[in-house]
Amino acid sequence: MTTGTVAYRGHETWYQVTGDLRADRAPLVVLHGGPGAGHDYCLPMRALAGDGRAVVLYDQLGCGNSTHLPDADPG
């Protein structure tokens, strides 16, 4: 399992990869709901990496482990 962040316009987007992105099977990118929900309720999806495909979770900006934007326009 690998975790990290990706910088974008001065903010950080958190991600977690379970499995090998170089595997023969296409990775599964799990998009969490919102607004305000993080990746936590998607954690069981990591079990899908057991069939040889990587599973990528992330938190969109403003949620979870990514940069929070308390002054952002909600629109």
Side-chain angles (χ1 to χ4, degrees):
M1 187 178 318
T2 303
T3 61
T5 59
V6 175
Y8 180 72
R9 295 186 180 186
H11 305 296
E12 299 285 326
T13 299
W14 176 90
Y15 68 88
Q16 179 181 79
V17 179
T18 303
D20 186 355
L21 287 172
R22 297 169 295 180
D24 291 335
R25 301 192 72 188
L28 172 67
V29 178
V30 180
L31 308 175
H32 64 79
H39 74 281
D40 297 341
Y41 73 95
C42 300
L43 290 174
M45 301 292 280
R46 295 182 301 185
L48 296 172
D51 72 354
R53 85 175 61 241
V55 176
V56 180
L57 303 177
Y58 83 99
D59 285 331
Q60 67 183 354
L61 287 177
C63 299
N65 297 323
S66 291
T67 302
H68 288 224
L69 306 169
D71 297 327
D73 179 2

